[in-house]
């Protein structure tokens, strides 16, 4: 089928616009609905006209609007936008925060509470030091059994120890009268008080981080 025959079959000319060609095809499709051979002939004529228009466009003889897409023209898919830094931060936070079971909360709480009670009952320097060592060991154990990552375990444990000392010292500086009264009531030393605060922080770290 020549291009000229294709134009004639659709009832258009080389001067017809793309909209006119498309309307002619749709009109003929509606007229010959149910006639498979006729529909295939119309579709072939339509494709032949499009190919001829593409050839004329490539030769610079006609200008076809950019919104018209021919079979040979591939439209690249839209590029995927880079992920936002906030989403990366959110993913890191999700990997850090743990959703512990009741047992994972109660067992560390029991161990660190027992060490705190030991310090309250015997607030000597040696007992406080030994209790802190045992508390750190328990924290390492509870953290390590979650994901078996030694470096991460040590980092989180030492961070918890540092934060505990920092919070205990800050409380003593901000509430000196109240802390002094508390220490007097339980006959505690300042080191014993700081160690108890540290045990609480270590419990948070061992239970809710991983």
């Amino acid at each position: 089928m020549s291009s000229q025959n294709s134009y004639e079959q659709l009832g258009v000319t080389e001067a017809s616009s793309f909209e006119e060609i498309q309307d002619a095809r749709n009109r003929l499709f509606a007229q010959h609905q149910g006639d498979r051979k006729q529909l295939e002939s119309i579709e072939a004529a339509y494709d032949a006209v499009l190919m001829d228009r593409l050839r004329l466009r490539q030769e610079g003889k006609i200008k076809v609007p950019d919104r018209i897409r021919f079979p040979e023209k591939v439209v690249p898919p839209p590029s995927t936008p880079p992920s936002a830094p906030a989403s990366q931060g959110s993913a890191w936070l999700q990997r850090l925060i743990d959703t512990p079971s009741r047992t994972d909360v109660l067992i560390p709480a029991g161990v660190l509470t027992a060490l705190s009670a030991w310090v309250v009952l015997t607030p000597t320097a040696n007992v406080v030091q030994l209790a802190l060592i045992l508390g750190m060991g328990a924290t390492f154990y509870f953290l390590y059994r979650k994901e078996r990552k030694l470096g991460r375990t040590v980092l989180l444990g030492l961070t918890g120890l540092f934060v505990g000392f920092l919070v205990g010292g800050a409380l003593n500086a901000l509430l000196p009268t109240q802390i002094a009264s508390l220490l007097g009531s339980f006959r505690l030393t300042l080191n014993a008080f700081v160690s108890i605060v540290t045990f609480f922080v270590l419990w948070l770290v061992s239970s809710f981080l991983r």
Side-chain angles (χ1 to χ4, degrees):
M1 179 181 296
S2 66
S3 298
Q4 189 61 35
N5 289 337
S6 300
Y7 283 105
E8 292 176 353
Q9 185 173 355
L10 293 179
V12 296
T13 66
E14 292 184 359
S16 299
S17 66
F18 175 77
E19 287 78 7
E20 292 172 338
I21 296 172
Q22 195 171 40
D23 289 342
R25 169 188 176 273
N26 295 338
R27 184 173 60 255
L28 291 173
F29 257 56
Q31 292 176 1
H32 299 282
Q33 192 69 30
D35 189 340
R36 180 178 176 183
K37 290 186 178 181
Q38 191 64 28
L39 293 178
E40 289 177 353
S41 178
I42 295 170
E43 188 66 29
Y46 177 74
D47 291 341
V49 169
L50 288 186
M51 295 302 296
D52 186 59
R53 304 282 288 193
L54 176 60
R55 177 184 60 80
L56 294 175
R57 181 189 181 188
Q58 292 173 340
E59 294 174 358
K61 296 180 180 180
I62 62 171
K63 179 175 177 60
V64 181
D66 290 337
R67 59 188 175 82
I68 300 175
R69 302 297 184 223
F70 292 101
E72 289 78 7
K73 189 170 183 179
V74 179
V75 181
S79 58
T80 304
S83 57
S87 63
Q88 296 178 357
S90 177
W92 178 85
L93 185 61
Q94 290 177 358
R95 291 195 298 269
L96 179 64
I97 301 298
D98 188 20
T99 304
S101 64
R102 185 175 181 180
T103 302
D104 291 336
V105 173
L106 293 180
I107 293 180
V111 172
L112 294 173
T113 299
L115 292 174
S116 298
W118 186 26
V119 168
V120 170
L121 295 174
T122 314
T124 63
N126 290 337
V127 169
V128 170
Q129 184 177 7
L130 181 57
L132 283 173
I133 294 173
L134 294 175
M136 282 300 300
T139 301
F140 286 155
Y141 168 76
F142 293 131
L143 286 171
Y144 182 74
R145 71 173 185 170
K146 293 183 180 181
E147 294 194 0
R148 306 288 179 177
K149 296 180 179 180
L150 182 59
R152 190 184 185 92
T153 295
V154 173
L155 178 61
L156 290 177
L158 292 179
T159 300
L161 181 66
F162 174 77
V163 172
F165 286 158
L166 192 64
V167 172
L171 288 175
N172 181 61
L174 294 174
L175 304 171
T177 303
Q178 292 85 341
I179 298 301
S181 176
L182 178 65
L183 296 179
S185 300
F186 290 94
R187 297 181 181 180
L188 294 174
T189 63
L190 178 59
N191 288 338
F193 170 76
V194 172
S195 68
I196 292 172
V197 174
T198 302
F199 288 144
F200 177 74
V201 174
L202 291 177
W203 170 70
L204 293 177
V205 169
S206 61
S207 297
F208 300 100
L209 298 183
R210 59 183 176 184

